[in-house]
Amino acid sequence: MATDFTPPKNPFSSPLQKMKGRREDALEYHARDRKGKIEVVPTKPCATARDLALAYSPGVAEPCLEIAKDEEQSYLYTARGNLVAVLSNGTAVLGLGNIGPAAAKPVMEGKGVLFKKFADIDVFDINVDAADIDKLCTVVKALEPTFGGINLEDIKAPECFVVEERLKREMNIPVFHDDQHGTAIISGAALLGALELAGKNIAEVRVVVSGAGASAIACSRFYLALGVKRENLIMVDTKGVIFKGRAEGMNEYKAQFASDTGARSLAEAARGADVLLGCSVKGQFTQDMIRSMASNPIVFALANPDPEISYPDAKEAREDVIMATGRSDYPNQVNNVLGFPYIFRGALDVRARQITEEMKMAAAHALAELARQDVPESVSRAYGGEEFRFSRTYIIPKPLDPRVLLWVAPAVAKAAMDGGVARVAVDLDEYRERLRKMQSRSHQVMGSIFSKARKMPTKVVFPEGNHSKILQAARILREEAICEPILLGPVTPIETMIAELRLDNLEGAQIISPEESREYERYVDRLWELRRRRGVTRQEARRLVRSRNYYGSLMVETGDADGMVTGLTTGYADAIRPPLEVVRTRPGKIAAGVYIVVTKNDFKFFADTTVNIDPSAEALAEIAIATADLARYFDVTPRVAMLSYSSFGSASGPGPRRMREATELVRRRLPDLEVDGELQVHIATSTEVRASEFPFSTLKEDANVFVFPNLDSANIAYQMLERVGGAEVIGPVLLGMNKPVNVLQMGCSVQAIVNLAAITAARAHGGQLTF
């Protein structure tokens, strides 16, 4: 069954218009620019003669010789361990039937896109002109030295059963027919959730299956493995109920599900049933069938693109129905993309010899359990702000939920190791962390900071404690032992939000309403003492302390909190003002903001992106030194480029002159720091250009700290890389303060809050701040 990412319906367009528009869009999408949907990209540098000599002859001979001694070394010296064949003979493509292997190629390419997108698995699509079972198996088996696994796709039944069973016996790498098992695993997970909501025991429910093809038979087998009793399952095909003694249209696979029943039609079988599973065709279920089912009926109408009965029609027939389809515009989408990328990820990472029933079962149970967990804000944002909670309209995780990788792949890997089919063993905690880093480049960069933050307990205050994003971030921070959050805001509403969002681990967290706090008068006195010679009266101090940003700043200044993170709902200038007035900058230092810009292969530090509009040479030197210290905190040796439109005096003007002066100031203060300027970006980032054109440059390697001449250029640069270049950003980290305070980008994500809070916490117990 194909994965479907159907866009929401447009009520103002006719079916004919929609079909015509979608056809034109799809053809244009596949034909524009580079044809198709995939390409091969080298993973090693190929820029020099030396690179080419290593990539191919003569250097390539060395790994060849090692693999010749031990074939397992192919997993070390080639891409085999992360390479899957998506293979079809084109005999059952989507709902299009036997259209041949060439016509199947767009589907196989699309499957490769999903493997890469969701699990970072590389794919070659293999389209084989072989309808004969023996010929097809011979071809597939001969491919084993190339791949880490085989995903069979769109092979018609019953041949698909024979092909998979034979290849699993004869091959020593995972072979998985997704049309069978993908639908079974995902719908099985949905079934577990639906039964819990319906209050029914899987061993007692009556199940009716419409369809007798690959997915229907695989689903039926899987449901039996989950606990459905054989005598409680009825299968129906185009000839009617498959009953004991029926001869017409039978084969050995259907015969396994022949029932001892008097029912002869789908309508008769559905009467009183608890579960109705459709792996058949559009319109197969009627409203009368749904009405005839038992209480709280579970209906999975999985025909694509049009289900056996539409979601609105099923709900109209029975308000108590728990409904799932294969469509993305209805609740509870049974989408195979929740399975195959992550099942193969887990199997490849332990180098499994096969994908066992236990591994499939582990994937289903992991998905079912994940559906019961709180859904993060990032998932809601991916679906237009819609909120999800385990219920009749949310029994299975959403396809764009990034947590699926972290739940399913480790569960599959563990089942492979427990079942004795894994060639290598992994520590599951370390494995999950590796998956997190693979999934998020910024998480990889933040790894050392998270570790530093966990070394000592710290208290970080959040002035916007009544915002759902802050509460979700606080849950993660507490759960991961990164810091102890202090939430500012109205106590009762925050407690209500915690309960409504089911953030159980925030129970007992410190919540403070400034005006009702026992420390209110003490903070008023302290603020007046700090600001009385800046025009602040005692009465004005009383008013300001009611502001949560001032209250939080005073908590940090007095030592009642170790750090503060604010600015989610406030403009940067307004959010930074209280910390600057209360916490203040260190003597002789200035405040500055740094973004850590994470690209595919590395990360850089951009300064000053948030505070100083047109800094002097002295200020630029101070920013460079503080940012270099921040780089060291991330375990990076800083190499600083003082950027300009000029390189080493190639152009005149006040900007280049100021950057040259700043460079000299930095060198005088820190002669051992690798810094150069003024210079342009392409020179700062190319060792070859510097070596050939500017051999006198003191940058021995490419720069990783970029100091911009003004706020305009720095702010535009990081945002362009984030929005246009696909970089991830961490920050902004506020430099120069007496104590750790950071100001968020307004409206940022929960993960951005977690990252900045971790930096705040880590700096809080690092002793004297140097940046």
Side-chain angles (χ1 to χ4, degrees):
M1 186 163 292
T3 46
D4 169 58
F5 290 94
T6 310
K9 294 179 180 177
N10 178 358
F12 302 104
S13 61
S14 69
L16 185 61
Q17 287 174 319
K18 286 191 289 185
M19 287 175 61
K20 183 179 178 183
R22 183 177 298 174
R23 179 179 184 277
E24 292 172 350
D25 287 348
L27 292 176
E28 191 274 335
Y29 172 85
H30 284 81
R32 70 171 180 247
D33 304 324
R34 182 188 288 265
K35 311 310 179 190
K37 300 186 287 284
I38 58 175
E39 65 176 336
V40 176
V41 178
T43 59
K44 300 296 189 294
C46 297
T48 66
R50 178 180 181 274
D51 293 338
L52 295 177
L54 292 173
Y56 199 57
S57 182
V60 73
E62 298 306 324
C64 292
L65 293 171
E66 293 302 310
I67 296 168
K69 296 177 202 171
D70 177 7
E71 192 172 308
E72 287 295 299
Q73 296 299 305
S74 64
Y75 289 94
L76 175 63
Y77 294 116
T78 77
R80 181 184 182 187
N82 196 53
L83 187 62
V84 166
V86 174
L87 189 146
S88 178
N89 64 358
T91 53
V93 181
L94 304 178
L96 306 173
N98 186 355
I99 60 174
K105 186 172 174 62
V107 178
M108 304 311 121
E109 284 191 357
K111 194 88 171 197
V113 169
L114 299 180
F115 266 109
K116 189 65 177 178
K117 164 69 177 174
F118 289 96
D120 196 26
I121 292 172
D122 299 318
V123 162
F124 290 157
D125 67 292
I126 308 293
N127 304 279
V128 182
D129 187 5
D132 176 76
I133 290 176
D134 290 335
K135 183 178 178 183
L136 181 60
C137 287
T138 299
V139 171
V140 178
K141 189 177 176 184
L143 294 171
E144 182 169 344
T146 299
F147 295 100
I150 306 287
N151 182 100
L152 300 174
E153 193 80 16
D154 292 349
I155 301 170
K156 72 183 180 72
E159 288 90 334
C160 62
F161 302 117
V162 179
V163 169
E164 187 193 40
E165 288 168 5
R166 182 185 298 182
L167 292 173
K168 286 179 71 172
R169 285 196 309 269
E170 297 179 1
M171 297 182 73
N172 208 28
I173 58 174
V175 178
F176 183 81
H177 185 208
D178 186 50
D179 298 307
Q180 294 182 59
H181 309 299
T183 305
I185 291 164
I186 313 309
S187 69
L191 179 64
L192 294 174
L195 289 172
E196 180 177 329
L197 292 166
K200 296 184 178 184
N201 185 339
I202 195 168
E204 299 172 357
V205 294
R206 285 187 52 220
V207 178
V208 176
V209 180
S210 173
S215 60
I217 287 174
C219 286
S220 299
R221 288 173 173 171
F222 199 73
Y223 289 9
L224 296 180
L226 286 171
V228 173
K229 293 292 179 61
R230 175 65 193 82
E231 60 268 23
N232 289 340
L233 188 145
I234 295 176
M235 184 175 287
V236 185
D237 66 3
T238 56
K239 306 297 182 183
V241 171
I242 297 174
F243 59 90
K244 288 184 177 178
R246 197 185 97 173
E248 185 182 10
M250 294 294 289
N251 60 43
E252 61 178 295
Y253 300 99
K254 293 182 184 180
Q256 297 171 17
F257 295 96
S259 300
D260 188 6
T261 176
R264 292 297 181 264
S265 68
L266 179 60
E268 291 174 7
R271 194 171 299 126
D274 298 287
V275 179
L276 185 56
L277 168 66
C279 298
S280 50
V281 294
K282 173 186 177 181
Q284 195 74 0
F285 302 162
T286 67
Q287 289 186 319
D288 284 341
M289 289 180 193
I290 308 302
R291 292 188 190 102
S292 75
M293 294 176 69
S295 63
N296 293 306
I298 298 168
V299 177
F300 293 170
L302 305 184
N304 250 331
D306 297 303
E308 286 81 358
I309 185 170
S310 72
Y311 185 86
D313 286 349
K315 292 297 286 186
E316 183 181 296
R318 288 284 293 270
E319 185 59 36
D320 62 341
V321 69
I322 301 174
M323 176 80 173
T325 71
R327 293 183 64 101
S328 59
D329 50 351
Y330 297 142
N332 300 322
Q333 184 191 16
V334 174
N335 192 325
N336 286 18
V337 81
L338 287 167
F340 66 84
Y342 313 110
I343 292 167
F344 269 97
R345 180 76 275 160
L348 291 173
D349 289 339
V350 295
R351 216 178 294 168
R353 293 181 177 85
Q354 60 178 287
I355 293 172
T356 63
E357 293 305 311
E358 291 76 16
M359 292 161 74
K360 299 171 197 172
M361 197 70 65
H365 281 286
L367 286 168
E369 183 58 33
L370 177 57
R372 294 166 174 80
Q373 307 302 309
D374 298 325
V375 180
E377 169 267 344
S378 60
V379 177
S380 296
R381 190 170 65 250
Y383 289 89
E386 184 179 356
E387 294 187 357
F388 304 105
R389 183 175 300 173
F390 183 56
S391 65
R392 289 170 181 260
T393 57
Y394 180 76
I395 58 174
I396 192 76
K398 305 297 285 185
L400 297 179
D401 189 335
R403 300 173 302 163
V404 177
L405 174 68
L406 307 179
W407 282 68
V408 175
V412 170
K414 182 178 186 301
M417 291 188 291
D418 291 346
V421 297
R423 290 186 182 91
V424 298
V426 296
D427 178 282
L428 289 173
D429 290 334
E430 291 177 1
Y431 180 48
R432 288 188 190 92
E433 185 63 21
R434 176 151 54 97
L435 292 172
R436 283 194 187 95
K437 290 178 178 179
M438 180 193 79
Q439 192 175 58
S440 170
R441 291 165 287 162
S442 61
H443 188 90
Q444 184 173 0
V445 172
M446 287 294 298
S448 64
I449 301 300
F450 290 142
S451 298
K452 290 174 182 177
R454 294 186 185 103
K455 287 182 179 177
M456 287 178 60
T458 54
K459 295 182 290 185
V460 176
V461 60
F462 294 87
E464 295 142 312
N466 59 335
H467 196 287
S468 61
K469 286 185 179 180
I470 295 294
L471 292 175
Q472 290 178 31
R475 176 188 65 81
I476 296 169
L477 292 165
R478 223 180 186 205
E479 192 174 87
E480 299 287 331
I482 292 170
C483 69
E484 180 61 27
I486 301 171
L487 306 169
L488 301 187
V491 177
T492 300
I494 291 177
E495 290 176 339
T496 301
M497 288 182 70
I498 288 171
E500 288 176 349
L501 294 170
R502 298 190 299 172
L503 305 175
D504 297 339
N505 78 329
L506 285 183
E507 291 179 5
Q510 190 175 3
I511 305 171
I512 300 172
S513 176
E515 286 187 83
E516 299 169 5
S517 164
R518 291 177 298 178
E519 307 301 330
Y520 177 75
E521 293 297 337
R522 179 165 69 92
Y523 287 169
V524 169
D525 291 342
R526 181 56 179 156
L527 181 61
W528 184 63
E529 181 183 348
L530 290 170
R531 302 295 296 170
R532 61 191 175 188
R533 293 186 180 274
R534 294 291 187 272
V536 175
T537 64
R538 184 175 289 276
Q539 188 62 31
E540 177 70 2
R542 296 186 68 83
R543 183 185 69 79
L544 290 175
V545 175
R546 295 189 192 103
S547 158
R548 285 181 252 163
N549 266 344
Y550 274 98
Y551 190 95
S553 297
L554 286 157
M555 289 189 74
V556 175
E557 198 274 338
T558 59
D560 293 338
D562 300 302
M564 182 173 84
V565 175
T566 187
L568 180 64
T569 61
T570 310
Y572 197 90
D574 290 331
I576 198 175
R577 186 177 298 112
L580 286 175
E581 293 179 356
V582 175
V583 180
R584 296 160 296 168
T585 57
R586 299 197 307 282
K589 303 295 182 180
I590 63 169
V594 177
Y595 268 103
I596 300 140
V597 178
V598 186
T599 60
K600 182 177 181 180
N601 298 316
D602 61 7
F603 59 101
K604 314 288 188 185
F605 299 83
F606 283 32
D608 170 19
T609 56
T610 59
V611 180
N612 298 280
I613 296 173
D614 196 19
S616 65
E618 181 71 29
L620 288 165
E622 183 57 47
I623 291 166
I625 292 168
T627 308
D629 283 339
L630 176 63
R632 292 188 190 95
Y633 203 71
F634 276 81
D635 302 322
V636 169
T637 300
R639 297 183 294 276
V640 184
M642 309 297 283
L643 297 179
S644 175
Y645 60 80
S646 167
S647 294
F648 307 117
S650 64
S652 60
R657 185 166 54 251
R658 189 164 62 247
M659 297 309 284
R660 283 196 297 273
E661 292 172 7
T663 303
E664 290 308 312
L665 289 170
V666 173
R667 283 177 175 153
R668 279 184 227 146
R669 294 180 195 176
L670 292 176
D672 294 332
L673 178 63
E674 197 172 320
V675 58
D676 213 343
E678 91 287 10
L679 71 170
Q680 294 166 282
V681 171
H682 77 282
I683 296 171
T685 56
S686 175
T687 301
E688 289 186 5
V689 171
R690 290 194 308 277
S692 62
E693 303 297 328
F694 306 99
F696 54 83
S697 174
T698 53
L699 284 179
K700 302 309 177 189
E701 296 183 48
D702 290 347
N704 50 29
V705 173
F706 297 119
V707 179
F708 291 80
N710 54 41
L711 186 59
D712 278 338
S713 57
N715 195 273
I716 291 168
Y718 97 79
Q719 291 197 49
M720 285 290 286
L721 279 171
E722 180 185 19
R723 300 297 178 183
V724 179
E728 297 178 22
V729 299
I730 301 168
V733 181
L734 187 57
L735 308 180
M737 302 297 290
N738 267 319
K739 294 185 177 181
V741 174
N742 280 299
V743 180
L744 298 161
Q745 186 180 41
M746 193 163 67
C748 68
S749 69
V750 170
Q751 189 57 52
I753 300 168
V754 171
N755 288 343
L756 211 50
I759 293 170
T760 305
R763 294 177 70 198
H765 53 67
Q768 177 65 39
L769 293 183
T770 60
F771 57 88

